[in-house]
Amino acid sequence: MASSKLSIYAFLLWLLWFHVFPPMDAQLMWTSIYLGSGNSQIDLWTQEAKGCACPWNRTDQQCACCVSEGGCHCGKNAPNRCTQCGLEEHCNHMCNVTIISSELMARSGKSFGQIKSPSLEGPDACWYTFIPSSTQRVEVQIYRLVNAGKHNGTSCVGGFLQLAGGPEPQYSQTDNQICGSNERYAPPVVFFADDGLATLLFQITEKTRRSQFLAYFSFTSINNSDGLGYQPRGGMKLQNTDCDWLYQDFACNKSEQEGNSCVLASPSYPGVYPPYRQCKYHITTSNENIQVRISFTALLLPQNCKTDYISIYQGSTTSSPLLTTLCGNQRKTLEYYGLNLLVEFRSGSQKPPFDYNGFVATLKFSERSLTTEATTTVHIHPRTTMSNLIFPMNESITSTPETSSCDILISGNNTRSGHFDTREHEWHPICRLVFQGRVTDVVHVSFFNYRLRTPSCKSVIEVIDNRIEDKRSIIDRICSPILKQSRDQDYRSAEPTFLSTGNTMIIILKRSSAPLSTNEAEFLAGAYFFHDEQISGTMQPNALCDVKFNGINSPLAGMIDNPGTQHLYWNIDGPLSCRQQFIPSNNQSITIKVQSIENMSKEPNCVTQCGDNGCRCVSSSPLKNIDHLMLLGDNNLNIACLCGSFQTEGLPVSARTWGSLTVIYSVAYYTWTKKGFGFSASYAFNTDTICGEHIYTVHSGEIVMKNLTPPENLNHFYQQSCTWTLHSNVERQLELDITSEQNRPCTAWNISIHEYSPSPENQHLGELHHIFCSRDNHKSYLLPWKLNTVVIRLFTLSRTLPQFKIKWRSQVVRANTRFIGAPSAAPNAVSSTDYLEPNSMSLLYMLLILSKLCFWCGPSGLNR
Ligand SMILES: *[C@@H]1O[C@H](CO)[C@@H](O)[C@H](O)[C@H]1NC(C)=O
Ligand SMILES: *[C@@H]1O[C@H](CO)[C@@H](O)[C@H](O)[C@H]1NC(C)=O
Ligand SMILES: *[C@@H]1O[C@H](CO)[C@@H](O)[C@H](O)[C@H]1NC(C)=O
Ligand SMILES: *[C@@H]1O[C@H](CO)[C@@H](O)[C@H](O)[C@H]1NC(C)=O
Ligand SMILES: *[C@@H]1O[C@H](CO)[C@@H](O)[C@H](O)[C@H]1NC(C)=O
Ligand SMILES: *[C@@H]1O[C@H](CO)[C@@H](O)[C@H](O)[C@H]1NC(C)=O
Ligand SMILES: *[C@@H]1O[C@H](CO)[C@@H](O)[C@H](O)[C@H]1NC(C)=O
Ligand SMILES: *[C@@H]1O[C@H](CO)[C@@H](O)[C@H](O)[C@H]1NC(C)=O
Ligand SMILES: *[C@@H]1O[C@H](CO)[C@@H](O)[C@H](O)[C@H]1NC(C)=O
Ligand SMILES: *[C@@H]1O[C@H](CO)[C@@H](O)[C@H](O)[C@H]1NC(C)=O
């Protein structure tokens, strides 16, 4: 019998040992599985081999005695054994079994059990599928392996045991596979799977006489308080990534109020982590003064930091400045400030005996005390350092006698936003205000009040953009006499603001008349703001608050929120509208998820209506008079507009687009004291090629829309305007075949077939020939002879992603032979070379040659 071969008694001895004396290293954890009493027990479910009534003959006392909670007799074929209730039919051959948590619980009252594989003759395989409930994770503990492959130093050969998650599990050498010819694991090798359903596969690929393993399994609660439920918590898993997460301060704060702080953990913690992984945990805060405390409560990695380590970066990418690297078992608490931090976890190859289980860290956010900075917005530095630092060369500036000038340095290292006023400083004929930001900052300055008294430009204000060292340009020059008082009748709206191109801006105030009294003095006052373009998008010129994020160089994920909190907005008394635009690059899409909206004025005359085609603001008065938040696609296509009575239960509202996506924040009447409404949204540039290639020069092929995992929130909208150009340099007749199994309204999505237009605007869409709607199910289109280049466009605005297949093929003719019956060159036919871009020439020559070989390029080309 299998049990004796595996020397179950020996196991039990050390199983007991480990459960009575918990493991020394508390970081390794597994669910303790032990039942019954005393160490004379035969196995998990069999109390004694003999001495109890046989279920089939009550007077016969020769049968095994079962553990009272959950043990059931194996029956006639194995009178001396018991097993877990519910699994009786697998008593003698526990192979290819599906174990459903709820059923196991109902039958045996237990959420755990044991798997003892039959003795297999390789090559062969057994699988075990576990179906947990939604609040459980699957845990497998492996204690014993016999003749199950070998580890050759990098991977398993000849056989393995692997736990893989998901309905279509992948078994791969770059995942956690364990193997060995005669292994006893104490502590056990512990795997966790968190994707719902999980399958344990025992696969022997070489010839063996007897291959076997022993494991325990558990459906472990995700809120297990002993740490077994640990997994990333409070964060957001980033779509299309293996193991990347986003943690946002406000979300963590919220979850903390509910009693759970945010938790980062390596995949499948506290089980063994998988090999060859790079997991990125992005941490974002809503302002620079928020301190992030990362406490590594558990850490167990190999000692040398070469292949398995954790790196923390100040910024959002791995090319940002490296703050620290951790490995081994140095638990630590680290504190940083910053809008973006990146925690990167990397693992190398597998490391027998498979007991490195990664890390767990908790996150805490707290505000830095601002008392000192709020009152002293400027810092005066000795002139000598300043002149060396900022004014190395220009005569007109350095020629001023040193004694008669002052320099005021305002550093973006210390304060990100504030007021300045030259009256707070000692009077000098020349004062320089130097705003110096961090490397990725630009400086934004606005003047609220100034007074220059002397006639004919004897006093002057100069605004200088100091791009890099010796590249300076004067942006503006204000001559005396002039008086400006903010908030007087003439200046009700936003002030002109000055924006630097680099991280430094210099403002020079030259005064020619010494003041008789402070009241009369010439002065300048305003506000400034350091804007980090790496994190908050590229500022757009001539605008107070418009930014752009380009998918190529922006962080791939982050947060945005409402503008209007910086001092620069102090002077605004009227409407405020800000555009934050996201532009994905070619093979990206952008997802924006509006997570929260606060304090939006409850206009009774505007309601938000959401349907399959997005959300709309339905209002009786013009939208500009109403606070609202909009998500717009390309060409100002409305995807979502949220206003007035919009209630938070509609949130989150999200959109994923393959063209640009713009968030417009509009406050009908902004004042510094009332401010506008608040919102926060997360964004992520997804790498996806769902729109596929854009130009096809092959003569036949197909385009199929890939599937995406559906979003969790109801109000998630897809907007696509994908185009595909089918191009040929030789004369042809195109036949298109479009099928779809969906039955959706034409307005949800449709595919249109156009002539190619050489003009680049409107995506090269020329004259329209056909429109396919999903209700058509299947249509074939035969396009006119010699319409060699066509553009197919998919247009989507819907909650569901379209599903369809487009096939095309071409009839071509030998270069100088005419097709019988085909018309000769049409009078107004455009020479096909008009469509060519110079560098595609050689490709088309190749095509020309190919086309000579291929008279009828049939569907054989489809399955390339
Ligand atoms: C039940 O077991 C007893 C004792 O072994 C035996 O005498 C008896 O014949 C059995 N009865 C049946 C119906 O098999
Ligand atoms: C278990 O199922 C797999 C296919 O799913 C099969 O290849 C294998 O032989 C089965 N194992 C046994 C022992 O029946
Ligand atoms: C181990 O086996 C894998 C897969 O067969 C192979 O690619 C790799 O080169 C082997 N490594 C060594 C060190 O032999
Ligand atoms: C865990 O969750 C389950 C179901 O949601 C609940 O019944 C149980 O009390 C929770 N346990 C703890 C320790 O919070
Ligand atoms: C999070 O909580 C901390 C302390 O409770 C607070 O200082 C901080 O401002 C909060 N952050 C956000 C974004 O709410
Ligand atoms: C110094 O700056 C002024 C503008 O302030 C400019 O016109 C002049 O060319 C600069 N001189 C040098 C030497 O760079
Ligand atoms: C800001 O901090 C950086 C790095 O700590 C330093 O190099 C730079 O000199 C500081 N800038 C100012 C103006 O203090
Ligand atoms: C995406 O496109 C860029 C440039 O267009 C290219 O460098 C990059 O390799 C592409 N990435 C993928 C995953 O195709
Ligand atoms: C919303 O209003 C409340 C009360 O006036 C205020 O405490 C809170 O900070 C406001 N929230 C935002 C995001 O402006
Ligand atoms: C095609 O779809 C778009 C948006 O989904 C819609 O605006 C347009 O009206 C549709 N075309 C037709 C002919 O229905």
Side-chain angles (χ1 to χ4, degrees):
M1 195 186 300
S3 66
S4 60
K5 288 180 194 160
L6 276 174
S7 46
I8 273 292
Y9 293 93
F11 284 144
L12 268 172
L13 230 106
W14 54 252
L15 278 184
L16 277 171
W17 171 266
F18 272 102
H19 292 121
V20 175
F21 309 98
M24 293 299 289
D25 195 336
Q27 293 178 357
L28 272 173
M29 284 181 279
W30 60 92
T31 300
S32 141
I33 293 172
Y34 178 66
L35 292 161
S37 58
N39 39 15
S40 61
Q41 197 166 321
I42 307 292
D43 64 25
L44 196 60
W45 306 102
T46 314
Q47 197 84 48
E48 289 188 36
K50 279 185 184 172
C52 290
C54 297
W56 59 91
N57 181 346
R58 292 281 156 200
T59 56
D60 188 346
Q61 299 292 312
Q62 293 304 300
C63 285
C65 301
C66 302
V67 167
S68 58
E69 311 158 37
C72 281
H73 202 274
C74 278
K76 269 187 179 156
N77 295 334
N80 298 323
R81 281 200 49 215
C82 301
T83 188
Q84 186 163 15
C85 298
L87 298 177
E88 293 93 329
E89 59 175 302
H90 304 293
C91 248
N92 280 328
H93 191 75
M94 197 169 185
C95 181
N96 295 352
V97 184
T98 297
I99 302 172
I100 303 170
S101 169
S102 55
E103 288 182 11
L104 195 71
M105 192 62 171
R107 293 291 313 277
S108 69
K110 295 281 174 287
S111 60
F112 53 77
Q114 182 190 46
I115 295 175
K116 200 188 306 167
S117 78
S119 166
L120 295 184
E121 242 177 68
D124 204 347
C126 282
W127 51 258
Y128 306 86
T129 296
F130 303 95
I131 305 183
S133 76
S134 63
T135 57
Q136 293 174 330
R137 52 199 317 225
V138 175
E139 174 183 349
V140 170
Q141 310 162 2
I142 295 144
Y143 290 95
R144 186 81 165 101
L145 272 184
V146 179
N147 296 329
K150 283 196 182 54
H151 204 269
N152 74 357
T154 54
S155 51
C156 284
V157 289
F160 65 84
L161 189 59
Q162 183 184 338
L163 181 69
E168 285 171 25
Q170 304 285 317
Y171 302 98
S172 132
Q173 292 181 334
T174 57
D175 268 307
N176 259 328
Q177 296 189 334
I178 65 162
C179 43
S181 51
N182 186 7
E183 309 289 332
R184 292 160 201 274
Y185 297 107
V189 178
V190 183
F191 293 146
F192 281 90
D194 283 309
D195 307 315
L197 185 154
T199 303
L200 182 69
L201 180 67
F202 183 50
Q203 173 110 54
I204 307 298
T205 53
E206 62 191 1
K207 244 177 119 60
T208 62
R209 275 189 32 244
R210 179 174 74 78
S211 295
Q212 210 169 2
F213 76 95
L214 174 78
Y216 282 7
F217 65 88
S218 165
F219 295 104
T220 305
S221 168
I222 57 174
N223 61 8
N224 175 296
S225 54
D226 303 331
L228 292 162
Y230 267 139
Q231 51 184 322
R233 191 168 63 209
M236 208 168 60
K237 180 138 200 228
L238 297 179
Q239 285 180 11
N240 302 323
T241 63
D242 179 29
C243 50
D244 292 359
W245 292 76
L246 173 64
Y247 289 84
Q248 302 151 356
D249 57 351
F250 68 88
C252 288
N253 271 13
K254 204 168 150 218
S255 112
E256 193 153 344
Q257 280 158 14
E258 291 158 6
N260 296 311
S261 50
C262 277
V263 175
L264 319 180
S266 46
S268 90
Y269 187 87
V272 176
Y273 58 79
Y276 306 115
R277 287 306 140 97
Q278 181 190 25
C279 300
K280 288 185 262 175
Y281 305 83
H282 299 268
I283 304 171
T284 65
T285 67
S286 38
N287 77 59
E288 290 278 349
N289 292 313
I290 304 239
Q291 182 195 56
V292 186
R293 177 181 300 173
I294 312 174
S295 305
F296 286 86
T297 53
L299 182 66
L300 188 58
L301 296 174
Q303 283 297 341
N304 79 31
C305 279
K306 282 193 184 133
T307 54
D308 298 49
Y309 55 84
I310 295 163
S311 289
I312 303 181
Y313 301 89
Q314 181 91 56
S316 54
T317 68
T318 51
S319 45
S320 307
L322 177 65
L323 295 167
T324 188
T325 295
L326 307 174
C327 61
N329 56 1
Q330 30 172 169
R331 293 177 216 173
K332 267 193 177 169
T333 293
L334 303 161
E335 291 175 355
Y336 300 108
Y337 287 95
L339 289 166
N340 276 288
L341 289 173
L342 175 66
V343 176
E344 178 197 28
F345 169 67
R346 261 187 188 273
S347 64
S349 65
Q350 272 193 315
K351 293 169 193 66
F354 314 106
D355 55 1
Y356 292 115
N357 68 346
F359 74 97
V360 173
T362 57
L363 290 180
K364 272 217 183 321
F365 298 89
S366 56
E367 192 113 25
R368 175 183 356 217
S369 150
L370 280 173
T371 43
T372 49
E373 283 150 10
T375 50
T376 56
T377 50
V378 294
H379 305 265
I380 301 183
H381 280 236
R383 181 172 194 307
T384 44
T385 48
M386 280 304 305
S387 50
N388 298 341
L389 195 69
I390 309 288
F391 301 120
M393 57 355 129
N394 194 308
E395 274 171 81
S396 74
I397 294 171
T398 48
S399 61
T400 319
E402 300 209 348
T403 49
S404 59
S405 70
C406 71
D407 284 315
I408 300 165
L409 173 67
I410 299 170
S411 162
N413 283 358
N414 305 319
T415 320
R416 306 296 293 167
S417 160
H419 283 291
F420 62 89
D421 189 333
T422 58
R423 288 172 295 190
E424 290 168 4
H425 304 279
E426 204 187 323
W427 193 91
H428 287 278
I430 294 183
C431 263
R432 296 186 190 95
L433 290 145
V434 178
F435 297 89
Q436 182 158 50
R438 299 177 190 158
V439 180
T440 51
D441 282 346
V442 292
V443 188
H444 214 167
V445 169
S446 178
F447 296 161
F448 297 152
N449 299 295
Y450 46 80
R451 178 172 52 214
L452 303 178
R453 307 169 66 88
T454 51
S456 36
C457 209
K458 281 196 180 127
S459 299
V460 66
I461 297 168
E462 283 176 347
V463 184
I464 297 163
D465 180 13
N466 189 90
R467 223 165 311 154
I468 26 168
E469 289 255 4
D470 47 358
K471 283 246 167 90
R472 290 200 184 129
S473 55
I474 297 193
I475 314 176
D476 201 9
R477 191 181 161 92
I478 299 169
C479 270
S480 62
I482 190 168
L483 171 70
K484 183 189 158 195
Q485 283 176 304
S486 66
R487 302 194 178 193
D488 63 10
Q489 285 305 321
D490 297 340
Y491 297 97
R492 295 294 305 213
S493 61
E495 305 302 312
T497 60
F498 305 105
L499 185 64
S500 68
T501 47
N503 68 341
T504 309
M505 171 125 72
I506 302 165
I507 293 162
I508 302 178
L509 172 63
K510 292 182 193 164
R511 294 176 277 201
S512 55
S513 72
L516 307 169
S517 73
T518 5
N519 278 349
E520 298 291 290
E522 294 181 306
F523 76 99
L524 169 64
Y528 62 89
F529 171 44
F530 293 100
H531 173 98
D532 188 333
E533 295 207 310
Q534 176 63 31
I535 294 158
S536 311
T538 309
M539 282 298 311
Q540 297 305 291
N542 304 321
L544 182 62
C545 49
D546 294 353
V547 293
K548 255 186 199 167
F549 292 82
N550 281 306
I552 295 175
N553 50 17
S554 292
L556 290 182
M559 293 295 305
I560 55 169
D561 56 13
N562 53 296
T565 56
Q566 292 90 10
H567 299 78
L568 216 57
Y569 295 79
W570 178 74
N571 208 29
I572 297 177
D573 191 354
L576 174 65
S577 174
C578 301
R579 302 168 66 94
Q580 309 192 47
Q581 189 177 29
F582 294 81
I583 304 169
S585 59
N586 255 343
N587 40 24
Q588 285 181 328
S589 65
I590 171 79
T591 305
I592 293 184
K593 192 174 199 174
V594 179
Q595 313 264 14
S596 69
I597 294 186
E598 271 181 65
N599 300 350
M600 191 182 262
S601 61
K602 299 257 185 294
E603 291 280 345
N605 51 358
C606 188
V607 286
T608 302
Q609 288 179 353
C610 295
D612 187 53
N613 282 329
C615 296
R616 246 151 278 275
C617 291
V618 180
S619 160
S620 51
S621 49
L623 216 46
K624 70 175 173 44
N625 298 335
I626 289 166
D627 288 2
H628 62 276
L629 187 71
M630 274 213 267
L631 297 179
L632 298 182
D634 272 334
N635 296 324
N636 290 334
L637 177 77
N638 176 77
I639 299 172
C641 177
L642 310 176
C643 73
S645 57
F646 186 73
Q647 295 301 309
T648 43
E649 53 265 32
L651 294 173
V653 170
S654 52
R656 178 164 177 161
T657 69
W658 279 255
S660 76
L661 184 56
T662 306
V663 180
I664 299 187
Y665 169 82
S666 288
V667 180
Y669 202 99
Y670 177 96
T671 63
W672 175 251
T673 45
K674 282 208 330 245
K675 301 223 166 51
F677 65 93
F679 80 91
S680 78
S682 57
Y683 72 85
F685 285 102
N686 320 296
T687 306
D688 73 40
T689 48
I690 200 158
C691 282
E693 285 174 47
H694 300 292
I695 297 179
Y696 291 90
T697 48
V698 290
H699 275 190
S700 65
E702 69 178 31
I703 298 166
V704 182
M705 184 73 17
K706 288 180 205 123
N707 252 331
L708 287 177
T709 36
E712 281 157 20
N713 52 318
L714 171 70
N715 285 325
H716 178 81
F717 304 103
Y718 295 101
Q719 199 267 309
Q720 292 173 302
S721 180
C722 305
T723 58
W724 298 283
T725 303
L726 309 184
H727 174 76
S728 167
N729 189 33
V730 291
E731 297 181 347
R732 68 165 168 187
Q733 182 164 32
L734 252 180
E735 192 183 332
L736 285 164
D737 195 79
I738 309 183
T739 50
S740 171
E741 279 163 17
Q742 289 182 327
N743 184 6
R744 320 243 27 246
C746 223
T747 50
W749 65 268
N750 51 57
I751 295 170
S752 52
I753 302 162
H754 301 255
E755 278 181 27
Y756 176 91
S757 149
S759 123
E761 69 222 35
N762 202 15
Q763 299 181 294
H764 293 287
L765 294 176
E767 190 190 320
L768 173 71
H769 278 252
H770 302 282
I771 292 191
F772 175 86
C773 301
S774 66
R775 285 185 184 146
D776 296 341
N777 269 233
H778 176 204
K779 271 203 171 166
S780 293
Y781 304 99
L782 195 61
L783 297 177
W785 167 246
K786 276 174 132 187
L787 182 56
N788 297 334
T789 303
V790 299
V791 183
I792 303 176
R793 175 168 79 158
L794 166 69
F795 209 96
T796 310
L797 177 54
S798 173
R799 284 185 170 129
T800 43
L801 207 59
Q803 291 298 321
F804 59 82
K805 188 185 277 187
I806 301 174
K807 287 189 186 186
W808 77 92
R809 52 188 193 175
S810 325
Q811 279 189 33
V812 294
V813 76
R814 282 169 221 262
N816 45 18
T817 320
R818 289 259 154 74
F819 228 63
I820 297 171
S824 55
N828 54 358
V830 184
S831 154
S832 56
T833 48
D834 286 357
Y835 306 129
L836 294 185
E837 286 165 49
N839 57 3
S840 56
M841 216 50 203
S842 53
L843 219 168
L844 290 166
Y845 271 117
M846 251 174 62
L847 259 181
L848 197 76
I849 294 164
L850 275 178
S851 71
K852 288 188 178 181
L853 303 172
C854 168
F855 194 79
W856 168 259
C857 293
S860 59
L862 295 184
N863 306 323
R864 285 176 313 120

